[in-house]
Amino acid sequence: MDALRLERRLIIIAVAFVLTLFGLAALAVNMFHVGLPTCLTDIKPFQKGELITHSPTHYELHYVARMWEFDPEEVTVPVGSTIDIYVSTRDVTHGLILLGTDLNLMAVPGVVNYARVKFDKPGVHQLLCHEYCGTGHDRMAANLRVVDLATFQAKQSAPVQTQPSDPTYKLLEAKDCLTCHSIDGSEGIGPTLKGIYGRKTKLTNGSTVVADDVYLRESIVNPSAKITDGFDDLMPKPELTEQEVNAIVEYLENLK
Ligand code: CUA
């Protein structure tokens, strides 16, 4: 008799526990805007990444992962935006995490995964791959920028300041410099390169330097030597020839 009562009690506790878990999940979705990852089998995996604007604060973002990049690589939305993020892959399985958010989705061949994220604060979120996908795995990165409305509107109307035909621009792109350093003045993982030449730069050690030739050269060849205040010592030493370093320094001098 006692054993039966005990068993009944255990069953009630177990059911209550499961119901509490579902309740907490529902609460998280409704109150804290946590997007539960969802696997959608009725949508055909897409081949091209894109940002679709539904309203000034509601976007739909299609990320395509492939060896070894994300498409699109750069996304900018205004603060307060909600983004419905869909991911698919063109080759193997990749894992997408968006730093500073709860987003963690697998890009699995044949299906589309989905989650919703709301961005309440301005900042740069780095998208990384966390599923080993081959030799270029650790190069897979993209940026999602959340900017204030004024910056967003200015960016919409101003032409993007890139000189894709410039050989040094191509070099900066090929060496992944532009993943962290913008050339249009926008925020990034590293300081913007726009107007860097001659800029008074405060360093993490409290001193201030003027970004002259010597400083720029040192910061390219030995990135850890001096770190700009407000940034982290993250930049890897790039592999560049002496000629390439010269070309970059010259390019930066002219990047007003
Ligand atoms: Cu894609 Cu690791």
Side-chain angles (χ1 to χ4, degrees):
M1 201 55 186
D2 266 358
L4 252 182
R5 200 183 290 166
L6 182 68
E7 196 175 344
R8 195 179 298 159
R9 232 177 252 178
L10 283 177
I11 290 171
I12 290 171
I13 290 172
V15 170
F17 184 70
V18 170
L19 288 179
T20 310
L21 281 184
F22 277 111
L24 284 175
L27 202 68
V29 170
N30 291 312
M31 279 184 66
F32 306 113
H33 308 289
V34 174
L36 286 190
T38 316
C39 179
L40 308 166
T41 45
D42 50 339
I43 299 182
K44 221 174 140 244
F46 29 82
Q47 301 290 307
K48 229 179 114 330
E50 66 180 321
L51 181 71
I52 301 160
T53 307
H54 288 302
S55 84
T57 53
H58 182 207
Y59 297 86
E60 182 177 328
L61 177 54
H62 295 182
Y63 271 125
V64 176
R66 59 191 286 196
M67 290 187 233
W68 287 284
E69 58 192 24
F70 295 114
D71 177 25
E73 260 194 298
E74 289 287 336
V75 171
T76 304
V77 295
V79 73
S81 293
T82 298
I83 310 186
D84 290 315
I85 298 177
Y86 297 82
V87 306
S88 75
T89 170
R90 291 180 57 161
D91 39 51
V92 300
T93 299
H94 301 269
L96 286 76
I97 52 165
L98 190 59
L99 301 187
T101 73
D102 292 329
L103 186 86
N104 185 342
L105 287 174
M106 300 305 290
V108 183
V111 297
V112 172
N113 279 314
Y114 162 81
R116 168 176 279 195
V117 185
K118 186 160 191 280
F119 296 89
D120 291 319
K121 276 186 263 159
V124 183
H125 298 279
Q126 207 175 13
L127 179 73
L128 298 173
C129 181
H130 66 72
E131 179 73 16
Y132 184 74
C133 53
T135 52
H137 160 70
D138 53 3
R139 280 208 310 271
M140 287 188 73
N143 287 322
L144 193 154
R145 294 170 202 279
V146 182
V147 298
D148 59 79
L149 201 61
T151 311
F152 182 75
Q153 282 162 347
K155 212 180 157 94
Q156 296 298 91
S157 49
V160 187
Q161 288 195 24
T162 54
Q163 297 91 343
S165 55
D166 187 305
T168 311
Y169 176 85
K170 280 187 189 153
L171 176 68
L172 290 172
E173 205 171 36
K175 298 288 177 182
D176 286 331
C177 310
L178 303 179
T179 307
C180 296
H181 300 280
S182 78
I183 61 167
D184 64 359
S186 57
E187 290 178 59
I189 309 286
T192 181
L193 301 179
K194 187 185 182 188
I196 193 167
Y197 187 65
R199 188 197 290 162
K200 263 196 185 162
T201 305
K202 192 159 177 258
L203 303 177
T204 46
N205 66 15
S207 65
T208 302
V209 295
V210 171
D212 57 9
D213 290 57
V214 178
Y215 170 83
L216 290 179
R217 183 173 299 274
E218 179 186 51
S219 297
I220 296 166
V221 178
N222 185 9
S224 297
K226 296 190 174 75
I227 302 300
T228 305
D229 193 36
F231 294 91
D232 293 316
D233 183 6
L234 293 173
M235 179 170 153
K237 277 192 185 180
E239 278 182 31
L240 296 167
T241 65
E242 184 59 29
Q243 268 174 332
E244 288 172 331
V245 174
N246 289 341
I248 292 173
V249 171
E250 195 183 320
Y251 180 87
L252 295 179
E253 285 176 9
N254 294 306
L255 196 64
K256 297 289 178 335

